[in-house]
Amino acid sequence: MRFVDVLTSAAAISGAVAVPTKTLKRAGKFDFTGVSESGAEFGNTALPGRLGKDYTWPDHNAISTLIQKGFNTFRIPIMMERIIPDKLTGTVNETYAAGLDDIVTFVTGQGAYAVVDPHNFGRYYNNIITDVAGFGAWWTTVAKRYASNEKVIFDTNNEFHDEDNALVGQLNQAAIDAIRGAGATSQYIFVEGNSWTGAWHWTSSGTSEAMGKLTDPQDKIIYEMHQYLDSDGSGTSETCVSATIGKERIADATAWLKANGKKAIIGETAGGSNAQCIQAVQGMLQYMADNSDVWKGWLWWGAGPWWANYMYSIEPPSGTAFTKVLPSLTDFI
């Protein structure tokens, strides 16, 4: 999702205590199905920001409801500068980290995956990250915190863009090496490419060359690609290009995955709550299910307590996508 200034203020957060639930993941074609749980990355120009005003944390009750619907993977966007402020090699802000710990513990305690997602677009304090060693140091610090939790997934960084393709490859490899070096050897790692990690230009952008060379001694790399269905693929419109655009936009990436023996997830996707978009999403997910040797799952963008009437909100109980789109996607959960 391409946005620079996410919400800077919102309504108060519910204090209700969630009732624990068990994961009810259906026996489908995918290993990972779920949503991005926004909130902790909001107010990204207000650093470090104030909890409850600039940013918030996902709601336990909403996550429980989505688990009951069959979802088993929850991507938790955070800000790199909030958990490790001032410098990449710095120390943890324990106040912010406690909020992440709480959500990770809650999600994984239900048997679901918690994806730790530094939602920074390859930037730190709005500057492109070129310090490869520093980026690795940041990941060493964060990965150590969750090294013993096999239900945690590490997402290297959200949507690198307008960067050198080779640098993006180097940053991803540094993250992989740091995570494994921190003792986190059982977890999956989601890696993201350049050009907003878009599936539809995975090869044409050139990002596939460096990304295809990534190595992991645990062989648990999952390539995270994003795919929206509006005219410019930015995920900023309720209108989808056609009822078949989803399948069409990931066909080239599918061929690359098969040719290179890689596995992937669509880590962000969404469409408007209208018939054409629903058909487009269904078509894409069916194509992925038909090619589940390389496509391991999908995550909807997005959920979170501050989305209000956002066109793609899948936040229970009244999010637009929760009420109008999700009922049409149950076969793919």
Side-chain angles (χ1 to χ4, degrees), residues 1-302:
M1 165 63 65
R2 300 185 199 178
F3 59 93
V4 178
D5 260 341
V6 285
L7 300 181
T8 57
S9 62
I13 309 164
S14 169
V17 176
V19 177
T21 60
K22 286 188 177 182
T23 296
L24 300 176
K25 177 76 172 67
R26 296 181 178 89
K29 289 287 188 79
F30 299 122
D31 295 332
F32 312 103
T33 60
V35 302
S36 287
E37 286 283 348
S38 285
E41 84 283 22
F42 279 16
N44 61 345
T45 59
L47 297 173
R50 289 171 291 177
L51 178 62
K53 178 176 175 58
D54 301 306
Y55 69 91
T56 188
W57 292 100
D59 178 71
H60 287 195
N61 281 318
I63 291 171
S64 292
T65 298
L66 292 169
I67 289 173
Q68 290 169 344
K69 293 292 184 182
F71 287 123
N72 76 335
T73 306
F74 296 86
R75 183 171 176 250
I76 307 162
I78 61 171
M79 292 299 296
M80 295 177 68
E81 301 90 343
R82 285 184 177 144
I83 195 165
I84 301 180
D86 301 326
K87 58 183 180 179
L88 293 167
T89 56
T91 57
V92 169
N93 172 354
E94 291 294 341
T95 300
Y96 186 78
L100 179 59
D101 290 347
D102 173 71
I103 295 301
V104 167
T105 299
F106 180 77
V107 169
T108 61
Q110 313 312 306
Y113 291 103
V115 183
V116 177
D117 163 38
H119 210 77
N120 277 66
F121 305 90
R123 284 140 175 86
Y124 188 71
Y125 287 101
N126 208 34
N127 295 312
I128 291 175
I129 299 169
T130 58
D131 180 359
V132 176
F135 188 68
W138 187 95
W139 265 116
T140 294
T141 302
V142 173
K144 280 182 178 178
R145 199 171 190 96
Y146 305 110
S148 63
N149 190 336
E150 65 180 11
K151 301 297 285 187
V152 169
I153 296 173
F154 301 107
D155 181 342
T156 56
N157 216 260
N158 179 69
E159 292 187 351
F160 297 94
H161 68 89
D162 299 291
E163 300 179 47
D164 179 73
N165 285 327
L167 173 62
V168 171
Q170 291 165 10
L171 291 169
N172 273 280
Q173 189 63 60
I176 295 166
D177 295 345
I179 291 164
R180 297 310 184 209
T185 57
S186 63
Q187 295 92 340
Y188 288 99
I189 299 175
F190 288 179
V191 296
E192 298 200 35
N194 203 9
S195 299
W196 311 93
T197 206
W200 64 330
H201 43 224
W202 185 258
T203 59
S204 63
S205 69
T207 197
S208 61
E209 183 177 353
M211 295 297 289
K213 297 175 182 177
L214 299 178
T215 60
D216 173 22
Q218 304 303 317
D219 195 26
K220 299 191 79 169
I221 290 175
I222 302 290
Y223 285 81
E224 180 180 330
M225 304 181 193
H226 296 176
Q227 193 57 67
Y228 292 96
L229 311 177
D230 47 353
S231 60
D232 62 358
S234 64
T236 55
S237 171
E238 294 179 273
T239 302
C240 296
V241 173
S242 71
T244 58
I245 192 62
K247 172 182 176 179
E248 293 164 5
R249 282 189 172 168
I250 66 170
D252 187 59
T254 303
W256 181 84
L257 292 166
K258 288 177 179 287
N260 290 277
K262 308 297 186 183
K263 298 176 182 178
I265 184 172
I266 293 294
E268 287 187 19
T269 193
S273 56
N274 56 73
Q276 181 157 290
C277 282
I278 289 171
Q279 290 173 23
V281 174
Q282 289 175 323
M284 181 178 73
L285 297 182
Q286 184 60 60
Y287 179 78
M288 291 169 62
D290 293 341
N291 292 277
S292 59
D293 56 322
V294 295
W295 289 111
K296 308 304 346 173
W298 60 277
L299 308 179
W300 186 267
W301 180 273

